[in-house]
Coordinates of all heavy atoms in Angstrom, one line a residue:
M1 N -24.7 39.3 10.0 CA -23.3 40.0 10.0 C -22.5 39.5 8.9 O -21.6 40.3 8.4 CB -22.7 39.6 11.4 CG -23.2 40.3 12.6 SD -23.5 42.1 12.3 CE -22.3 42.8 13.3
G2 N -22.7 38.3 8.5 CA -21.8 37.9 7.4 C -21.8 38.6 6.1 O -20.9 38.9 5.5
G3 N -23.1 39.1 5.9 CA -23.4 39.9 4.7 C -22.6 41.3 4.7 O -22.0 41.6 3.8
M4 N -22.7 41.9 5.9 CA -21.9 43.1 6.0 C -20.4 42.9 5.7 O -19.8 43.7 5.1 CB -22.1 43.7 7.4 CG -23.4 44.3 7.6 SD -23.7 45.8 6.5 CE -22.8 46.9 7.5
R5 N -20.0 41.8 6.2 CA -18.5 41.6 6.1 C -18.1 41.4 4.7 O -17.1 41.8 4.2 CB -18.2 40.2 6.9 CG -16.9 40.3 7.5 CD -16.6 38.9 8.3 NE -15.2 38.6 8.4 CZ -14.4 39.2 9.3 NH1 -14.9 39.9 10.1 NH2 -13.2 38.9 9.4
H6 N -19.0 40.7 4.0 CA -18.8 40.4 2.5 C -18.8 41.7 1.8 O -17.8 41.9 0.9 CB -19.8 39.4 2.1 CG -19.5 38.8 0.7 ND1 -18.5 38.1 0.5 CD2 -20.2 39.0 -0.5 CE1 -18.5 37.7 -0.8 NE2 -19.5 38.3 -1.3
L7 N -19.7 42.6 2.2 CA -19.8 43.9 1.5 C -18.6 44.6 1.6 O -18.1 45.3 0.8 CB -21.1 44.6 1.9 CG -21.4 45.9 1.4 CD1 -21.7 45.7 -0.2 CD2 -22.4 46.7 2.0
A8 N -18.1 44.7 2.9 CA -16.9 45.4 3.2 C -15.7 44.9 2.3 O -14.9 45.7 1.9 CB -16.5 45.3 4.7
L9 N -15.6 43.6 2.3 CA -14.6 43.0 1.5 C -14.6 43.4 0.0 O -13.6 43.7 -0.6 CB -14.7 41.5 1.6 CG -13.6 40.7 2.4 CD1 -13.9 39.4 2.6 CD2 -12.3 40.9 1.8
L10 N -15.9 43.4 -0.5 CA -16.1 43.8 -1.9 C -15.6 45.1 -2.1 O -15.0 45.6 -3.1 CB -17.5 43.6 -2.3 CG -17.9 42.2 -2.8 CD1 -19.5 42.2 -3.0 CD2 -17.3 42.0 -4.1
L11 N -16.0 46.1 -1.2 CA -15.7 47.5 -1.2 C -14.1 47.7 -1.3 O -13.5 48.4 -1.9 CB -16.3 48.3 -0.1 CG -17.7 48.7 -0.3 CD1 -18.3 49.3 0.9 CD2 -17.9 49.7 -1.5
A12 N -13.5 46.9 -0.3 CA -12.1 46.9 -0.2 C -11.4 46.6 -1.5 O -10.5 47.3 -2.0 CB -11.6 46.2 1.0
S13 N -11.9 45.5 -2.1 CA -11.3 45.1 -3.3 C -11.5 46.0 -4.4 O -10.7 46.2 -5.3 CB -11.6 43.6 -3.7 OG -13.0 43.5 -3.5
A14 N -12.7 46.7 -4.5 CA -13.1 47.7 -5.5 C -12.1 48.8 -5.4 O -11.5 49.4 -6.3 CB -14.5 48.1 -5.3
V15 N -11.8 49.2 -4.1 CA -10.9 50.4 -3.9 C -9.6 50.1 -4.4 O -8.9 50.9 -5.1 CB -10.9 50.8 -2.4 CG1 -9.8 51.8 -2.2 CG2 -12.2 51.4 -2.0
L16 N -9.1 48.8 -4.1 CA -7.8 48.4 -4.5 C -7.6 48.4 -6.1 O -6.7 48.8 -6.7 CB -7.5 46.9 -4.0 CG -6.9 46.9 -2.5 CD1 -6.9 45.5 -2.1 CD2 -5.6 47.6 -2.5
L17 N -8.7 47.9 -6.7 CA -8.7 47.8 -8.2 C -8.6 49.2 -8.8 O -7.9 49.4 -9.7 CB -9.9 47.1 -8.7 CG -9.9 45.6 -8.7 CD1 -11.2 45.1 -9.0 CD2 -8.8 45.1 -9.7
F18 N -9.5 50.1 -8.1 CA -9.4 51.4 -8.7 C -8.0 52.1 -8.4 O -7.5 52.7 -9.4 CB -10.5 52.3 -7.8 CG -10.5 53.8 -8.3 CD1 -11.2 54.0 -9.5 CD2 -10.0 54.7 -7.5 CE1 -11.2 55.3 -10.0 CE2 -10.1 56.0 -7.9 CZ -10.8 56.4 -9.2
A19 N -7.4 51.8 -7.4 CA -6.1 52.4 -7.2 C -5.1 51.8 -8.1 O -4.2 52.5 -8.7 CB -5.6 52.1 -5.7
A20 N -5.3 50.5 -8.4 CA -4.3 49.9 -9.3 C -4.4 50.4 -10.8 O -3.5 50.4 -11.6 CB -4.5 48.4 -9.3
D21 N -5.6 50.9 -11.1 CA -6.0 51.4 -12.4 C -5.2 52.8 -12.7 O -4.9 53.0 -13.8 CB -7.5 51.6 -12.6 CG -8.1 50.3 -13.4 OD1 -7.3 49.5 -13.7 OD2 -9.2 50.3 -13.5
K22 N -5.1 53.5 -11.6 CA -4.5 54.9 -11.8 C -3.0 54.8 -12.2 O -2.2 53.9 -11.7 CB -4.5 55.5 -10.5 CG -5.9 56.3 -10.2 CD -5.6 57.4 -9.2 CE -6.6 57.3 -8.0 NZ -6.2 58.1 -6.9
P23 N -2.7 55.5 -13.2 CA -1.3 55.5 -13.6 C -0.4 56.0 -12.4 O -0.7 57.0 -11.8 CB -1.2 56.5 -14.8 CG -2.4 57.3 -14.7 CD -3.4 56.5 -14.0
A24 N 0.7 55.4 -12.3 CA 1.6 55.8 -11.2 C 2.2 57.2 -11.6 O 2.5 57.5 -12.7 CB 2.8 54.7 -11.1
A25 N 2.3 58.0 -10.6 CA 2.8 59.3 -10.8 C 4.2 59.3 -11.2 O 4.8 60.0 -12.3 CB 2.8 60.1 -9.5
A26 N 5.2 58.5 -10.6 CA 6.5 58.3 -10.9 C 6.8 56.8 -11.1 O 7.0 56.2 -10.1 CB 7.4 59.0 -10.0
P27 N 6.8 56.3 -12.4 CA 7.0 54.9 -12.4 C 8.4 54.4 -11.8 O 9.4 55.2 -12.1 CB 7.0 54.6 -14.0 CG 7.1 56.0 -14.5 CD 6.7 57.0 -13.6
A28 N 8.4 53.4 -11.0 CA 9.6 53.1 -10.4 C 10.6 52.4 -11.5 O 10.2 51.8 -12.4 CB 9.4 52.0 -9.4
P29 N 11.8 52.7 -11.4 CA 12.7 52.1 -12.4 C 12.8 50.6 -12.2 O 12.5 50.1 -11.1 CB 14.1 52.7 -12.0 CG 13.9 53.2 -10.6 CD 12.5 53.6 -10.4
V30 N 13.0 49.9 -13.3 CA 12.9 48.5 -13.2 C 14.1 48.0 -12.4 O 15.3 48.3 -12.6 CB 13.1 47.9 -14.7 CG1 13.1 46.5 -14.7 CG2 12.0 48.5 -15.5
A31 N 13.8 47.2 -11.4 CA 14.8 46.7 -10.5 C 15.6 45.6 -11.2 O 15.2 44.9 -12.0 CB 14.2 46.0 -9.3
P32 N 16.9 45.7 -11.0 CA 17.8 44.7 -11.7 C 17.4 43.2 -11.3 O 17.0 43.0 -10.2 CB 19.2 44.9 -11.0 CG 19.2 46.2 -10.4 CD 17.7 46.5 -10.0
K33 N 17.4 42.4 -12.3 CA 16.9 41.1 -12.0 C 18.1 40.1 -11.6 O 18.8 39.8 -12.5 CB 16.2 40.6 -13.3 CG 15.5 39.3 -13.1 CD 14.3 39.3 -12.3 CE 13.8 38.0 -11.9 NZ 13.1 37.9 -10.7
Y34 N 18.2 39.9 -10.3 CA 19.1 39.0 -9.9 C 18.6 37.6 -9.8 O 17.5 37.4 -9.7 CB 19.6 39.4 -8.5 CG 20.3 40.7 -8.4 CD1 19.8 41.7 -7.5 CD2 21.4 41.1 -9.3 CE1 20.4 42.9 -7.5 CE2 21.8 42.4 -9.2 CZ 21.4 43.3 -8.3 OH 22.0 44.5 -8.2
Q35 N 19.6 36.7 -10.1 CA 19.2 35.3 -9.9 C 18.9 34.9 -8.5 O 19.6 35.4 -7.7 CB 20.4 34.4 -10.4 CG 20.0 33.0 -10.6 CD 21.0 32.1 -11.1 OE1 22.2 32.3 -10.8 NE2 20.8 31.0 -11.8
E36 N 17.8 34.1 -8.4 CA 17.4 33.9 -7.0 C 18.5 33.1 -6.3 O 19.1 32.1 -6.9 CB 16.2 33.0 -7.2 CG 15.5 32.5 -5.8 CD 14.7 33.7 -5.2 OE1 14.3 34.6 -6.0 OE2 14.6 33.7 -4.1
G37 N 18.9 33.6 -5.1 CA 20.0 32.9 -4.3 C 21.4 33.4 -4.6 O 22.2 32.9 -4.0
S38 N 21.5 34.3 -5.6 CA 22.9 34.7 -5.9 C 23.3 35.6 -4.8 O 22.6 36.1 -4.0 CB 22.9 35.4 -7.4 OG 22.3 36.6 -7.1
C39 N 24.7 35.9 -4.9 CA 25.3 36.8 -3.9 C 24.6 38.1 -3.9 O 24.3 38.7 -2.8 CB 26.8 37.0 -4.2 SG 27.1 37.4 -5.9
C40 N 24.2 38.7 -5.1 CA 23.6 39.9 -5.2 C 22.1 39.9 -4.7 O 21.7 40.8 -4.0 CB 23.6 40.4 -6.7 SG 25.2 40.3 -7.5
D41 N 21.4 38.8 -4.9 CA 20.1 38.7 -4.6 C 20.1 38.7 -2.9 O 19.3 39.3 -2.4 CB 19.5 37.4 -5.1 CG 18.2 37.1 -4.8 OD1 17.3 38.0 -5.1 OD2 17.7 36.2 -4.1
K42 N 21.0 37.9 -2.4 CA 21.1 37.8 -1.0 C 21.3 39.2 -0.4 O 20.7 39.6 0.6 CB 22.1 36.8 -0.5 CG 21.7 35.4 -0.8 CD 22.7 34.5 -0.3 CE 22.5 33.0 -0.8 NZ 23.7 32.1 -0.7
A43 N 22.3 39.9 -0.9 CA 22.7 41.2 -0.5 C 21.4 42.2 -0.5 O 21.2 42.9 0.4 CB 23.8 41.8 -1.3
V44 N 20.8 42.1 -1.7 CA 19.7 43.1 -1.8 C 18.5 42.7 -0.8 O 17.9 43.7 -0.2 CB 19.1 43.0 -3.4 CG1 17.7 43.6 -3.3 CG2 20.1 43.8 -4.2
K45 N 18.3 41.5 -0.6 CA 17.3 41.1 0.5 C 17.6 41.5 1.8 O 16.8 41.6 2.7 CB 17.0 39.6 0.3 CG 16.1 39.2 -0.8 CD 15.9 37.8 -1.1 CE 15.1 37.6 -2.4 NZ 14.9 36.2 -2.7
K46 N 18.9 41.7 2.1 CA 19.3 42.2 3.4 C 19.3 43.7 3.4 O 19.7 44.3 4.4 CB 20.8 41.7 3.7 CG 20.7 40.2 4.2 CD 22.0 39.8 4.8 CE 23.2 39.7 3.8 NZ 24.5 39.4 4.4
G47 N 19.0 44.4 2.3 CA 19.0 45.8 2.3 C 20.4 46.4 1.9 O 20.7 47.5 2.1
E48 N 21.3 45.5 1.4 CA 22.7 45.9 1.1 C 22.9 45.8 -0.3 O 22.1 45.3 -1.1 CB 23.6 45.1 2.0 CG 23.5 45.3 3.4 CD 24.2 44.3 4.1 OE1 24.9 43.4 3.6 OE2 24.0 44.2 5.4
K49 N 24.1 46.1 -0.8 CA 24.6 45.8 -2.2 C 25.7 44.9 -2.1 O 26.5 44.9 -1.3 CB 25.1 47.2 -2.8 CG 23.9 48.1 -3.2 CD 24.4 49.3 -3.9 CE 23.3 50.2 -4.3 NZ 23.8 51.5 -4.8
C50 N 25.7 44.0 -3.2 CA 26.7 43.0 -3.3 C 28.1 43.7 -3.4 O 28.2 44.7 -4.1 CB 26.5 42.1 -4.4 SG 27.7 40.8 -4.5
V51 N 29.1 43.3 -2.7 CA 30.4 43.9 -2.7 C 31.4 43.1 -3.4 O 32.6 43.5 -3.5 CB 30.9 44.1 -1.1 CG1 30.1 45.1 -0.5 CG2 31.0 42.7 -0.4
H52 N 31.0 42.0 -4.1 CA 31.9 41.4 -5.0 C 32.5 42.2 -6.1 O 31.7 43.1 -6.7 CB 31.2 40.2 -5.7 CG 31.0 39.0 -4.7 ND1 30.5 37.9 -5.1 CD2 31.1 38.9 -3.4 CE1 30.4 37.0 -4.1 NE2 30.7 37.7 -3.0
P53 N 33.7 42.4 -6.3 CA 34.2 43.3 -7.2 C 33.6 43.2 -8.7 O 33.3 44.1 -9.3 CB 35.7 42.9 -7.4 CG 36.0 42.3 -6.0 CD 34.8 41.6 -5.6
C54 N 33.3 41.9 -9.0 CA 32.8 41.7 -10.4 C 31.3 42.3 -10.4 O 30.9 42.9 -11.4 CB 32.7 40.2 -10.7 SG 32.0 39.2 -9.4
C55 N 30.6 42.2 -9.3 CA 29.3 42.6 -9.3 C 29.2 44.2 -9.1 O 28.3 44.8 -9.7 CB 28.5 42.0 -7.9 SG 28.6 40.3 -7.9
V56 N 30.1 44.8 -8.4 CA 30.2 46.2 -8.4 C 30.5 46.8 -9.7 O 29.8 47.8 -10.0 CB 31.3 46.6 -7.2 CG1 31.5 48.1 -7.2 CG2 31.0 46.2 -5.9
K57 N 31.4 46.2 -10.4 CA 31.7 46.7 -11.7 C 30.5 46.6 -12.7 O 30.3 47.6 -13.4 CB 32.9 45.8 -12.3 CG 33.6 46.3 -13.5 CD 34.7 45.4 -13.8 CE 35.1 45.6 -15.4 NZ 36.0 44.7 -15.8
A58 N 29.8 45.5 -12.6 CA 28.7 45.3 -13.5 C 27.6 46.4 -13.1 O 26.9 46.9 -13.9 CB 28.1 43.9 -13.3
A59 N 27.4 46.6 -11.7 CA 26.4 47.5 -11.3 C 26.8 49.0 -11.8 O 25.8 49.8 -12.2 CB 26.3 47.6 -9.8
K60 N 28.1 49.3 -11.8 CA 28.4 50.6 -12.3 C 28.0 50.8 -13.8 O 27.8 51.9 -14.1 CB 29.9 50.8 -12.0 CG 30.2 51.4 -10.6 CD 31.7 51.7 -10.5 CE 32.0 52.0 -9.1 NZ 33.4 52.0 -8.8
A61 N 28.1 49.7 -14.5 CA 27.7 49.8 -15.9 C 26.2 49.6 -16.1 O 25.8 49.6 -17.3 CB 28.5 48.8 -16.7
G62 N 25.5 49.7 -14.9 CA 24.0 49.5 -15.0 C 23.6 48.2 -15.4 O 22.5 48.0 -16.0
K63 N 24.4 47.2 -15.1 CA 24.1 45.8 -15.4 C 24.0 44.9 -14.3 O 24.4 45.4 -13.1 CB 25.2 45.3 -16.5 CG 25.0 45.9 -17.8 CD 26.2 45.4 -18.7 CE 26.2 46.2 -20.0 NZ 27.5 45.9 -20.8
V64 N 23.7 43.7 -14.4 CA 23.8 42.7 -13.4 C 25.0 41.8 -13.7 O 25.1 41.3 -14.9 CB 22.5 42.0 -13.4 CG1 22.5 40.7 -12.5 CG2 21.4 42.8 -13.0
C65 N 25.7 41.5 -12.7 CA 26.9 40.5 -13.0 C 26.5 39.3 -13.5 O 25.6 38.5 -12.8 CB 27.6 40.5 -11.7 SG 29.1 39.3 -11.8
D66 N 26.9 38.9 -14.6 CA 26.6 37.6 -15.2 C 27.4 36.4 -14.8 O 27.1 35.3 -15.2 CB 26.2 37.7 -16.7 CG 27.4 38.3 -17.5 OD1 28.4 38.3 -16.8 OD2 27.2 38.5 -18.6
H67 N 28.4 36.8 -14.1 CA 29.3 35.7 -13.5 C 28.5 35.0 -12.4 O 28.4 33.8 -12.2 CB 30.5 36.2 -13.0 CG 31.5 36.6 -14.1 ND1 32.1 35.6 -14.8 CD2 32.0 37.8 -14.4 CE1 32.9 36.2 -15.7 NE2 32.8 37.5 -15.5
C68 N 27.8 35.9 -11.6 CA 27.1 35.5 -10.4 C 25.7 35.3 -10.6 O 25.0 34.6 -9.8 CB 27.4 36.5 -9.3 SG 29.0 36.8 -9.0
N69 N 25.1 35.9 -11.6 CA 23.7 35.8 -11.9 C 23.6 35.2 -13.3 O 23.3 36.0 -14.3 CB 23.0 37.2 -11.9 CG 23.2 37.7 -10.5 OD1 22.5 37.4 -9.6 ND2 24.2 38.6 -10.3
E70 N 23.6 33.9 -13.5 CA 23.5 33.3 -14.9 C 22.2 33.4 -15.3 O 21.3 33.1 -14.5 CB 24.0 31.9 -14.8 CG 25.5 31.8 -14.7 CD 25.9 30.4 -14.6 OE1 25.3 29.4 -15.2 OE2 27.1 30.1 -14.1
P71 N 21.9 33.7 -16.5 CA 20.5 33.8 -17.1 C 20.0 32.4 -17.0 O 20.7 31.4 -17.1 CB 20.7 34.1 -18.5 CG 22.1 34.7 -18.7 CD 22.9 34.1 -17.6
A72 N 18.6 32.4 -16.7 CA 17.9 31.1 -16.4 C 18.1 30.2 -17.8 O 17.9 30.8 -18.8 CB 16.5 31.4 -16.3
K73 N 18.5 29.0 -17.5 CA 18.6 28.2 -18.7 C 17.2 27.5 -19.1 O 16.4 27.3 -18.3 CB 19.6 26.9 -18.3 CG 21.0 27.4 -18.3 CD 21.9 26.4 -17.7 CE 23.3 26.9 -17.6 NZ 24.1 26.1 -16.7
K74 N 17.2 27.3 -20.4 CA 15.9 26.8 -20.9 C 15.9 25.3 -21.1 O 17.0 24.9 -21.5 CB 15.5 27.6 -22.2 CG 15.1 29.0 -21.9 CD 14.7 29.7 -23.1 CE 14.3 31.1 -22.8 NZ 13.9 31.9 -24.0
Ligands
LIG1 ZN1 27.1 39.6 -6.4
LIG2 ZN1 29.7 39.0 -9.6

């Protein structure tokens, strides 16, 4: 029975790989990159949008608020 199980797993991963190879019909827009743990990040994870005035303003300009989402320091 172990052999059959293994084969099924192989088939499943082959199907997954094949699906991943196909070009997406409609490429999803790049999601804004919020800093982990920021107000915006928390809001998005709750399925909401950050309501901070600075963040709303940045979002309207198609940006991410850099007051609340500081770029990662090197
Ligand atoms: Zn925010
Ligand atoms: Zn902000």
